Amino acid sequence: RIKANGKVGIGTNNPVTNLDVRGSSDASITIGLTNGTKYGNFSCDNSATYLYAYNGNDIIFSTNSGNSFNRKVTIKNDGKTAF
C-alpha cells in the first residue's frame, strides 16, 4: 500500500518509514538481478535480524563520495573479514 505521504507498507496499512515490511512471524526483503544469479536478503524473525548474500557473494559495506563507492568492510563468503 502506498500512502499519500509516499510511504510504502507491505503487510501493514500504516507504514512508519519510507518502506515498511511486516509479517506475522517474520519479514523479509529480497533484492537481486532478474536472471536470479545474484541476490541478497534482509530479514528478521522473533529472535534476530539477518543479512544474507546468496550464490557465493560477499557482503560489502561502503560509503559513497561523489560518483565512487569506497569499500569500508567486506565479509567474504568464506567468513573472513577485510577492512
Side-chain angles (χ1 to χ4, degrees):
R1 171 175 201 117
I2 301 174
K3 303 294 277 187
N5 60 7
K7 294 180 179 179
V8 177
I10 300 172
T12 179
N13 289 325
N14 298 303
V16 296
T17 58
N18 290 339
L19 176 61
D20 190 343
V21 179
R22 309 267 178 131
S24 60
S25 62
D26 61 7
S28 181
I29 299 171
T30 300
I31 57 171
L33 303 177
T34 56
N35 66 8
T37 59
K38 295 184 179 182
Y39 63 100
N41 181 280
F42 182 75
S43 62
C44 67
D45 60 22
N46 291 326
S47 63
T49 300
Y50 307 91
L51 176 62
Y52 299 102
Y54 292 95
N55 297 329
N57 294 324
D58 299 335
I59 297 174
I60 300 169
F61 296 89
S62 64
T63 59
N64 178 279
S65 178
N67 293 325
S68 64
F69 288 92
N70 303 300
R71 286 184 185 211
K72 299 299 181 184
V73 177
T74 300
I75 301 173
K76 304 294 286 178
N77 64 9
D78 63 2
K80 295 179 181 172
T81 305
F83 294 89

